[in-house]
Amino acid sequence: MSRMPFVHLRTHSEYSVVDGTLRIDEAAAAARKDGQPALAITDLDNLFGAVKFYKACRGKGVKPIIGADLWLEPEGQEKQASRLLVLVQDKTGYLNLSNLLARAWTENAQRTTAWVKWEWLESLGGGLIALSGADMGAVGQALLAGDPERATQLAQRLAGIFPGRFYLEVQRAGLATHEAHVRATVPLAAQLGLPVVATHPVQFLEPDDYDAHEARVCIAEGELLANPKRVRRFSRDQYFKSAAEMAQLFADLPSAVENTLEIARRCNLSLVLGKPQLPDFPTPDGSPIEAYFRTASHAGLEQRLVHLYPAPAERERQRPTYVQRLDFEIETILKMGFPGYFLIVSDFITWAKANGCPVGPGRGSGAGSLVAFSLGITDIDPIPYALLFERFLNPERVSMPDFDIDFCQDNRYKVIEYVRRRYGEQAVSQIATFGTMASKAVIRDAGRVLDMSYTFCDQLSKLIPVVQNKPVSLAKARESEPLLAERERQEDEVRELLALAEPLEDLTRNVGMHAGGVLIAPGRLTDFCPLYKAPGTDSVVSQYDKDDVEAVGLVKFDFLGLRNLTIIQLAVEYVNAGRPHDPIRLDTLAFNDPAAYQVLKDANTTAIFQVEGDGMKKLLKKLAPDRFEDIIAVLALYRPGPLGSGMVDDFILRKKGLGEIDYFHPDLKQTLEPTYGVIVYQEQVMQ
């Protein structure tokens, strides 16, 4: 490592959201190509991209250094916030940085940023290396203001907070203040005996990316590129410079370049990825969770059997089948270490049902679990429908179980509040999502900062084809839409717009909140990731998206809000208002009402979930469902594969007795009989 001349310690990736266009994979590849042994990510006030960066660097053989570019709250006579760069040395530093960022966003958020208080640094500075922030740091601002006494005090204060871990930072990135700052900083460092480090504020990959970067800044700030009064805070020099370029740039300060290697050596964070960290489930009787899980599952099954088979003789005849299946599932779940997950889900679903929040009966592969049925997580008995547990949990492919749980849209928040009370405010949050500048949107954004008319940009945006509800890329749009390619050849404005839009395509544009994901941590969430709260909102989310929270071990629970459940609940209440002595209950209604099937045969299904589209209505009329299995089949068949393969026509003809039923082999008859010999379900293939 000592042979290498330089390591970039200050990079703003696209996850800085407001001022970076550097893509993480490209940054890791650039460091590898240049032979730089390590690379730091230091996005503005966040760790949004930290896990992706960690993986990308490890994949390229480059040592990842996690850090952040913090805003420090102004103190005393200071009129503006200053910057401080912190880099994580170890696990303690990672936890402290997570805490600093979480506190800044939840307790001290400003209009578009969040400020860290100086006193927080004193208690949360351990495990962090601090760089002074160059000309934008508190020390640098004091030096440039001609106040060396104040600069000395601030440098000594930071050196005290980060003993042996504080560096005075210098830059030469083409900005007017940089050289004056270097000339003032080097004597101060000599006077105080503090080390100097040379950094380069990387905002984009190549010099030619400068214009796209400026456009991105204008998009974030609502500015026009050509506005002569616009404050220009960045230079064309802020690209990913090579180590040789940096060594040449600081040839008069070789120790400042060497210190980048020294800092890289001192930063040694190892993240444990892919190991689930389940929250603890407090058993009501204090018994071990494995024993309680087994007891609760069997007790729940007994309640279900009484309801399913009211006649005692039939119940006894059926019981061995259910108990055998239940014991198999219990052993598998215990072996994989997931009893707590099932008990937590069962707990909040039970609470929701008891507190006026309708819950969906269950969907997806989770409906194949008899344990889930026994614990009240689902209301679907998997055995009559040959639903397989192995589709949900398979010991040969260890992954977290994942129930998609539908709650009444109007009352979903009550369940999330219950979970917060149950497991603690510090342990529960929702999950961040990152909106991107997709092809249609980026044309409008780029056109706006170029001061092109909305009508012109809208016309071009509408030329982008949409495939499966997603606009294709600009490159593919040129191939598939001749008019777009023709206009690009013929019109200067179109060429200018596309040339600016293309480098920005799919960059992170904003931070949102996952529609249904809720995290429950085994303790404080900041032990795993920092938190974020958008200014002006009360919604606290993780700073990692759903893939990254799972990577660091947090368990995601899906609380999906479904308007249909709200409508059904209102309908039941309306009906029952007229029959107070004989109210209907959805969970006791049979599946054999001819009038209900007639609604489907007539395709009178507007506003009925999943069967209201025109194509689905045509299929319902042709198939004429008259049993519940037909409804299951029609939902499985209405997909591009079956519709294009002729399976649907085979199914309909065989159902109506107009086609010959072929089971391929006598042993397959039992498996394929419910679908007239047509292989419709994944379970049938598995069987």
Side-chain angles (χ1 to χ4, degrees), residues 4 33 120 213 215 374 386 509 577 604 649:
M4 307 306 298
K33 183 180 177 183
W120 297 348
H213 173 267
S374 301
R509 191 187 197 284
N604 186 17
D649 294 330

Side-chain angles (χ1 to χ4, degrees), residues 626-637:
D626 53 15
R627 58 179 189 151
F628 190 65
E629 286 77 4
D630 289 346
I631 298 174
I632 302 170
V634 83
L635 294 172
L637 289 168

